[in-house]
């Protein structure tokens, strides 16, 4: 079995480790086997191992998420939240929303000072930035689609936390660069900080986290939301200005929602509904771009990028005005993705010039900051598919580790409109629809997506990247369907991003200069970014051949059962 799998590896890097050898697999082509693509090789292997034990795609998703909470602490988590989109091999579609919620003591102006100024430091760092975690509840909600018990699904993560694993160079650099943040926001010592700098190959052992995972293994959902772990989390809140209570934890509930479905050129796109803005933005952008017959152009050509950017501009203006938690606002999804609305929205498009953002929404100045999220794509040998995007929001979330429990807490409260018109850490502006209210879910950009052809999974895709997530998934779908690119080219091609405000279009540093110059002549403002997203993609052709690709921008990796 192992020899067959290795023969399918097109690119790999091996790092010798004390606990295990870590093999980063960037691409695999298989048939009649389950495949996992995630941000870390050990997490992907955990999911593949579970499928070898008889688990399906949903078992693999749970195991991979738990493992990411150990080996990818900057975004993998049990202290954050996420979204799952699933399509079973019988055609059943479902989503699980385990997005964090605002604590009961949260209020609309909790980050606004007496002079009316929004304090984004409080919404982005420390204990007051933390929303009620949803991940563990989401894992348990997934169990009804699984074949194996939670005791088995969580075991690979326990082993990784208890025995430790060798960190990569990227992980060492991140830990070193965030040392001061960790020290600033944690009163007790944490395993992520040590006296000498981290380096590739160092062993990261997380005993406290292992014990927390064992409590979940033994006590189920109550092992996290009640008892010792809940007490430690609430105690952590009291060390600062945090407001999460034991009641908040005990009362947390996941929401199972109807998937957002729409047609794109004969393919059925299945994505996440509100409170993810992702699926709605994806529908708007694909439909508007579809009015211009993109298949006539080439990937990253001037005309294609202009069309796609203008669709992004209009969709993100709608995001700011209309989108939020559907349990708290009037959900206008059906109207916003209707041809009647979108064709009218598209009337102002012209190939001769850039559309000023002021023409599609009210201008507000804003900064641009970085982001961390993580995505998993899975398909099993029986054709069940799952896409999950999960996050702490920013890099290592709030930077706060629950003392004695060993896991990072999110800074998800920043995804609310902390003051209508004030941008969040990703530069996204929000209005009243996304204002803070107790128990409300904050608007998200996460866009786990499954595309069906003739009713069967054709593409499983997603990415991290804050507000760049929907535009990267949008590009991935157009790359494959319109530009006929394979998974490798689509995933690793240079990306671009526009979100209405700021007015600029961001391009990855290796983006074609001729296209950028042509767009500038049409009135577009540009800037260069080092990286946009880390896409994980699985394509399945009509004959059942699976092509899985992990993004080359990081340590992302494919594992085959």
């Amino acid at each position: 079995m192992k020899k067959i799998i290795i023969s399918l590896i097109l690119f790999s890097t091996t790092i010798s480790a004390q606990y295990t050898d870590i093999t980063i697999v960037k691409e695999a082509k298989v048939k009649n086997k389950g495949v996992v693509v995630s941000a870390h090789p050990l997490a992907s292997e955990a999911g593949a191992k579970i499928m070898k034990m008889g688990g399906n795609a949903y078992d693999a998703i749970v195991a991979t998420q738990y493992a990411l909470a150990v080996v990818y602490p900057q975004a993998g988590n049990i202290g954050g939240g996420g979204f799952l989109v699933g399509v079973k091999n019988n055609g059943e579609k479902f989503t699980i929303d385990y997005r964090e919620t605002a604590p009961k003591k949260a209020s609309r102006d909790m980050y606004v000072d007496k002079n009316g100024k929004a304090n984004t430091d409080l919404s982005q760092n420390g204990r007051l930035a933390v929303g009620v975690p949803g991940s563990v509840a989401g894992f348990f909600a997934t169990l009804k689609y699984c074949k194996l018990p939670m005791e088995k699904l969580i075991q690979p993560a326990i082993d990784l936390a208890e025995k430790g694993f060798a960190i990569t160079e990227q992980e060492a650099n991140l830990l070193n660069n965030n040392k001061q943040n960790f020290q600033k926001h944690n009163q007790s010592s944490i395993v992520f900080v040590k006296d000498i700098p981290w380096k590739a190959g160092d062993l990261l052992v997380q005993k406290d986290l292992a014990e927390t995972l064992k409590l979940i293994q033994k006590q189920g959902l109550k092992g996290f939301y009640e008892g010792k772990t809940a007490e430690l989390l609430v105690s952590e809140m009291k060390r600062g200005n945090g407001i999460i209570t034991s009641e908040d934890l005990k009362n947390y509930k996941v929401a199972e929602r109807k998937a957002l479905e729409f047609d794109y050129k004969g393919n059925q796109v299945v994505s996440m509904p509100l409170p993810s803005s992702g699926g709605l933005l994806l529908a708007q952008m694909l439909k508007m771009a579809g009015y211009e017959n993109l298949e006539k152009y080439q990937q990253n050509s001037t005309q294609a990028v202009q069309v796609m950017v203008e669709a992004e501009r209009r969709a993100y203006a709608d995001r700011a005005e209309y989108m939020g938690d559907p349990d708290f606002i009037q959900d206008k999804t059906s109207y916003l993705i209707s041809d009647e609305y979108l064709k009218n929205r598209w009337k102002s498009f012209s190939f001769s010039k850039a559309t000023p953002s002021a023409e599609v929404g009210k201008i507000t100045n804003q900064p641009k900051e970085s982001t961390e999220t993580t995505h998993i794509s899975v398909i099993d040998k029986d054709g069940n598919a799952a896409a999950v995007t999960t996050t702490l929001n920013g890099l290592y979330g709030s930077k706060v580790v629950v003392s004695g429990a060993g896991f990072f807490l999110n800074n998800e409260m920043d995804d609310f409109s902390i003051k209508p018109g004030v941008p969040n850490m990703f530069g996204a502006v929000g209005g009243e629809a996304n204002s803070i209210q107790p128990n409300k879910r904050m608007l998200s950009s996460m866009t786990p997506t499954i595309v069906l052809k003739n009713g069967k999974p054709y593409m499983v895709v997603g990415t991290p990247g804050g507000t760049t997530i929907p535009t990267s998934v949008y590009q991935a779908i157009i790359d494959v369907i319109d530009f006929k690119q394979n998974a490798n080219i689509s995933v690793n091609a240079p990306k671009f991003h526009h979100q209405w405000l700021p007015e600029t279009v961001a391009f990855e540093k290796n983006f074609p200069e001729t296209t950028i110059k042509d767009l500038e002549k049409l009135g577009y403002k540009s800037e260069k970014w080092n990286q946009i997203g880390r896409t994980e993609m699985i394509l399945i052709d009509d004959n059942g051949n699976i092509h899985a690709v992990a993004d080359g921008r990081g340590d992302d990796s494919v594992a085959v059962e």
Side-chain angles (χ1 to χ4, degrees):
M1 177 74 74
K2 193 169 184 181
K3 289 181 180 178
I4 296 171
I5 293 172
I6 289 173
S7 71
L8 296 166
I9 296 171
L10 303 186
F11 171 77
S12 70
T13 305
T14 300
I15 303 166
S16 182
Q18 283 179 264
Y19 172 71
T20 182
D21 286 339
I22 301 174
T23 303
I24 298 173
V25 182
K26 288 299 181 188
E27 187 172 3
K29 294 182 178 180
V30 296
K31 191 172 184 178
N32 299 322
K33 288 187 181 296
V35 177
V36 181
V37 194
S38 84
H40 197 286
L42 292 175
S44 296
E45 287 171 14
K49 177 183 177 182
I50 288 297
M51 287 195 284
K52 286 177 185 175
M53 293 168 58
N56 61 19
Y58 312 111
D59 293 289
I61 277 286
V62 173
T64 304
Q65 287 178 100
Y66 272 124
L68 282 169
V70 179
V71 300
Y72 198 70
Q74 61 265 46
N77 67 82
I78 58 172
F83 297 132
L84 181 153
V85 173
V87 178
K88 295 172 66 176
N89 58 8
N90 63 2
E92 180 187 346
K93 306 170 191 73
F94 65 96
T95 76
I96 303 175
D97 167 2
Y98 43 101
R99 182 69 162 154
E100 301 91 331
T101 58
K104 189 177 180 181
K105 292 181 181 177
S107 60
R108 183 184 184 278
D109 296 324
M110 62 188 284
Y111 302 112
V112 180
D113 66 20
K114 61 183 179 182
N115 298 316
K117 184 179 179 183
N119 187 339
T120 54
D121 182 56
L122 287 177
S123 68
Q124 293 172 14
N125 300 295
R127 293 157 187 80
L128 192 61
V130 184
V132 182
S135 288
V136 175
F139 304 162
F140 276 90
T142 310
L143 267 184
K144 70 178 183 180
Y145 302 99
C146 297
K147 295 169 69 177
L148 301 178
M150 186 64 80
E151 292 80 11
K152 288 188 177 180
L153 304 184
I154 201 171
Q155 190 61 49
I158 292 172
D159 293 340
L160 288 163
E162 198 161 47
K163 298 175 184 177
F165 66 98
I167 63 171
T168 66
E169 183 177 357
Q170 283 199 16
E171 290 160 351
N173 291 338
L174 283 174
L175 290 171
N176 292 332
N177 292 340
N178 281 275
K179 181 177 180 178
Q180 288 185 325
N181 283 327
F182 296 155
Q183 290 173 323
K184 178 181 177 182
H185 295 291
N186 292 279
Q187 296 170 15
S188 55
S189 62
I190 59 174
V191 297
F192 305 102
V193 173
K194 62 178 191 171
D195 293 336
I196 59 173
W198 291 94
K199 64 183 186 302
D202 283 352
L203 203 67
L204 177 58
V205 179
Q206 301 172 76
K207 296 289 188 183
D208 285 350
L209 179 56
E211 292 307 309
T212 298
L213 295 171
K214 287 177 184 177
L215 282 174
I216 297 169
Q217 187 182 46
K218 292 173 186 173
Q219 300 173 14
L221 203 54
K222 289 184 178 181
F224 184 84
Y225 289 96
E226 300 179 42
K228 179 183 176 183
T229 303
E231 289 170 9
L232 290 170
L233 198 159
V234 173
S235 295
E236 191 62 57
M237 292 290 104
K238 292 175 180 176
R239 288 190 182 92
N241 51 5
I243 57 175
I244 293 175
T245 65
S246 57
E247 184 184 5
D248 287 321
L249 293 169
K250 193 173 181 179
N251 291 339
Y252 181 85
K253 296 287 188 294
V254 301
E256 297 203 32
R257 304 185 188 277
K258 187 177 186 298
L260 178 59
E261 300 177 52
F262 60 94
D263 178 85
Y264 184 66
K265 300 191 173 179
N267 302 277
Q268 187 179 13
V269 182
V270 184
S271 195
M272 196 70 202
L274 290 174
S276 171
S277 65
L280 209 167
L281 289 170
L282 190 61
Q284 287 189 304
M285 294 185 298
L286 285 170
K287 287 188 173 192
M288 283 188 278
Y291 298 146
E292 299 298 335
N293 300 316
L294 284 175
E295 64 272 13
K296 296 187 300 185
Y297 308 111
Q298 291 185 326
Q299 180 190 38
N300 289 344
S301 65
T302 303
Q303 298 94 330
V305 174
Q306 184 182 9
V307 168
M308 294 171 73
V309 162
E310 292 299 346
E312 292 171 357
R313 190 192 307 273
R314 289 155 177 78
Y316 276 79
D318 286 349
R319 182 192 195 275
E321 184 170 355
Y322 298 112
M323 300 183 200
D325 184 340
D327 297 333
F328 285 75
I329 64 166
Q330 183 182 357
D331 187 348
K332 296 186 176 181
T333 297
S334 57
Y335 170 68
L336 292 171
I337 66 174
S338 68
D339 275 328
E340 178 187 7
Y341 174 77
L342 293 173
K343 283 180 178 176
N344 187 59
R345 202 85 167 98
W346 196 245
K347 282 180 181 177
S348 58
F349 170 76
S350 170
F351 275 112
S352 64
K353 64 179 178 66
T355 305
S357 285
E359 291 185 8
V360 297
K362 183 181 177 182
I363 289 291
T364 307
N365 290 325
Q366 62 213 284
K368 174 184 73 69
E369 296 191 35
S370 63
T371 173
E372 269 295 327
T373 310
T374 191
H375 179 82
I376 312 161
S377 292
V378 178
I379 192 159
D380 65 26
K381 66 180 185 299
D382 297 317
N384 299 296
V388 164
T389 313
T390 180
T391 187
L392 289 166
N393 196 31
L395 187 69
Y396 300 106
S398 62
K399 313 297 189 294
V400 176
V401 175
V402 177
S403 182
F407 61 91
F408 281 100
L409 290 167
N410 67 82
N411 63 340
E412 216 63 73
M413 292 297 287
D414 188 61
D415 270 0
F416 282 116
S417 301
I418 64 170
K419 181 181 178 184
V422 174
N424 69 5
M425 69 187 302
F426 308 121
V429 173
E432 290 296 338
N434 191 37
S435 61
I436 302 171
Q437 290 178 251
N439 303 316
K440 188 178 183 180
R441 283 165 157 82
M442 56 291 292
L443 188 64
S444 171
S445 294
M446 295 184 287
T447 317
T449 300
I450 300 171
V451 182
L452 309 179
K453 182 189 285 186
N454 301 321
K456 294 183 178 180
Y458 168 47
M459 180 191 300
V460 187
V461 66
T463 180
T467 48
T468 71
I469 293 173
T471 59
S472 292
V473 174
Y474 164 56
Q475 287 169 68
I477 291 172
I478 286 174
D479 284 347
V480 172
I481 292 175
D482 292 279
F483 302 140
K484 312 300 181 190
Q485 303 287 7
N486 65 31
N488 194 334
I489 293 174
S490 173
V491 165
N492 293 303
K495 303 284 192 296
F496 61 91
H497 170 73
H498 180 65
Q499 60 182 49
W500 173 56
L501 296 176
E503 191 97 17
T504 52
V505 182
F507 296 95
E508 279 191 300
K509 56 189 175 183
N510 55 341
F511 202 89
E513 283 293 334
T514 52
T515 297
I516 296 173
K517 297 297 182 191
D518 286 347
L519 289 167
E520 287 174 344
K521 290 174 185 174
L522 294 171
Y524 292 89
K525 299 173 185 176
S526 69
E527 62 179 328
K528 291 287 185 70
W529 288 6
N530 286 333
Q531 181 178 318
I532 297 176
R534 283 164 60 172
T535 305
E536 321 294 6
M537 182 185 289
I538 301 171
L539 288 182
I540 309 98
D541 69 17
D542 294 340
N543 297 316
N545 297 304
I546 297 169
H547 186 189
V549 174
D551 201 304
R553 294 168 178 83
D555 297 324
D556 309 51
S557 190
V558 179
V560 181
E561 73 167 295

